[in-house]
Amino acid sequence: MPAEEHRNASPTAPHPPTDTAEEAIWLWTQIKAEARRDAEAEPALASYLYSTILSHSSLERSLSFHLGNKLCSSTLLSTLLYDLFLNNFSSDPDLRAAASADLLAARYRDPACVSFSHCLLNYKGFLACQIACVSIAHRVAHKLWTQSRRPLALALQSRISDVFAVDIHPAARIGKGILFDHATGVVVGETAVIGNNVSILHHVTLGGTGKFGGDRHPKIGDGVLIGAGATILGNINIGEGAKIGAGSVVLIDVPPRTTAVGNPARLVGGKEQPTKHEECPGESMDHTSFISGWSDYII
């Protein structure tokens, strides 16, 4: 886990080892322990927790089972989806690493996330990402897209949209350590790119500017924080560590480590010498550090 994320983690949250292989084992051990505790505390959930977590030998199997049941329909069977997800996880260590990184991101950045098992079972932002490439589900759909299995990738995208109210094109490229906080209403276009350790809140759109084809969607740098309801349009760059205020409409590049707010978005401090911050907002989740008093912004 990045050092910044350790510093901003809840003081009661346990910290994983730094080695990637040990981290995955540690994370699965934590999830099982939390599930056992919850099953003892709430017997009504015991059967559910056993079938989704405790009966499985690994995080990949548990996640594949859970996603298969979440996304199945009368014509898209849960057993087919389970095999599809598990085969992809088993053959791709990057997918497994991304799933762990996304779980850690949700646990340490969202104070409402009380446990890893809670995130695994209930955080639709995490689940959506895992299917499309939005956090595990999207990742599997993205892999299918790159393997030219596009009809199946698009079918998964449709189910993710129906179930989670998150619409991420399977061609979109998404990094690790992604937090889709609440996730409802998030839209990510076909040629969008999202870097590592990015946090995106609900009702964010990474879209195009018209009906033109080609590379037409935003590129989001590492460590970016995008506030609720923000709209970022066109093939523009949001620099590393930038912060996009809630409800902003961004149509041009945003420099690294700066804050853009408003509609149309403006840089805090002015476009000539914008104010820059040192922290990584995608990990700190600090939406308001740039505010010191009332603004003279005139509508």
Side-chain angles (χ1 to χ4, degrees):
M1 174 184 294
E4 293 90 349
E5 207 161 321
H6 275 297
R7 288 197 294 270
N8 291 295
S10 166
T12 60
H15 297 296
T18 55
D19 179 78
T20 303
E22 293 180 0
E23 179 183 86
I25 296 172
W26 176 90
L27 182 58
W28 179 235
T29 300
Q30 290 288 319
I31 291 172
K32 289 194 296 182
E34 292 166 356
R36 291 191 190 98
R37 178 201 65 199
D38 292 344
E40 292 174 0
E42 186 52 78
L45 292 176
S47 178
Y48 170 63
L49 292 167
Y50 179 80
S51 64
T52 53
I53 294 177
L54 296 174
S55 65
H56 300 283
S57 59
S58 67
L59 174 60
E60 295 77 35
R61 289 181 177 275
S62 172
L63 188 53
S64 297
F65 177 86
H66 191 44
L67 285 172
N69 281 280
K70 281 281 188 180
L71 294 170
C72 67
S73 66
S74 59
T75 55
L76 200 60
L77 301 182
S78 61
T79 51
L80 181 151
L81 292 174
Y82 172 80
D83 289 340
L84 176 67
F85 295 138
L86 186 57
N87 287 339
N88 278 277
F89 281 125
S90 300
S91 63
D92 192 337
D94 288 340
L95 276 180
R96 299 195 296 271
S100 295
D102 293 343
L103 273 171
L104 291 167
R107 178 69 179 94
Y108 289 110
R109 292 182 213 165
D110 187 351
C113 185
V114 297
S115 68
F116 293 112
S117 60
H118 170 53
C119 175
L120 171 65
L121 297 177
N122 303 318
Y123 265 47
K124 69 179 181 179
F126 166 74
L127 292 171
C129 191
Q130 308 317 307
I131 283 280
C133 160
V134 81
S135 252
I136 292 301
H138 169 73
R139 299 190 189 283
V140 174
H142 177 72
K143 186 175 181 182
L144 293 171
W145 184 269
T146 61
Q147 294 172 339
S148 296
R149 301 177 68 183
R150 296 186 174 186
L152 182 54
L154 291 168
L156 279 180
Q157 177 203 8
S158 177
R159 284 301 296 160
I160 295 165
S161 180
D162 290 344
V163 174
F164 297 126
V166 176
D167 192 357
I168 301 175
H169 195 283
R173 291 181 285 151
I174 299 179
K176 299 177 183 178
I178 304 301
L179 172 61
F180 285 95
D181 198 352
H182 301 289
T184 300
V186 168
V187 176
V188 179
E190 177 184 8
T191 60
V193 178
I194 299 174
N196 298 321
N197 301 314
V198 172
S199 293
I200 297 176
L201 275 80
H202 48 289
H203 292 292
V204 165
T205 296
L206 305 181
T209 57
K211 62 181 181 180
F212 302 104
D215 195 353
R216 60 196 184 280
H217 296 103
K219 311 299 180 282
I220 311 300
D222 295 346
V224 170
L225 172 62
I226 305 178
T231 299
I232 305 173
L233 301 178
N235 184 15
I236 62 174
N237 293 302
I238 308 300
E240 178 180 349
K243 187 185 303 186
I244 309 299
S248 299
V249 177
V250 183
L251 303 174
I252 58 176
D253 292 350
V254 176
R257 303 283 174 179
T258 62
T259 300
V261 296
N263 180 7
R266 302 180 182 184
L267 294 176
V268 172
K271 64 180 180 180
E272 299 300 330
Q273 291 184 314
T275 302
K276 294 201 172 186
H277 46 260
E278 295 300 324
E279 86 279 5
C280 178
E283 296 175 359
S284 70
M285 300 295 289
D286 186 349
H287 293 260
T288 59
S289 61
F290 62 91
I291 299 175
S292 59
W294 286 105
S295 171
D296 58 1
Y297 187 87
I298 299 173
I299 300 177

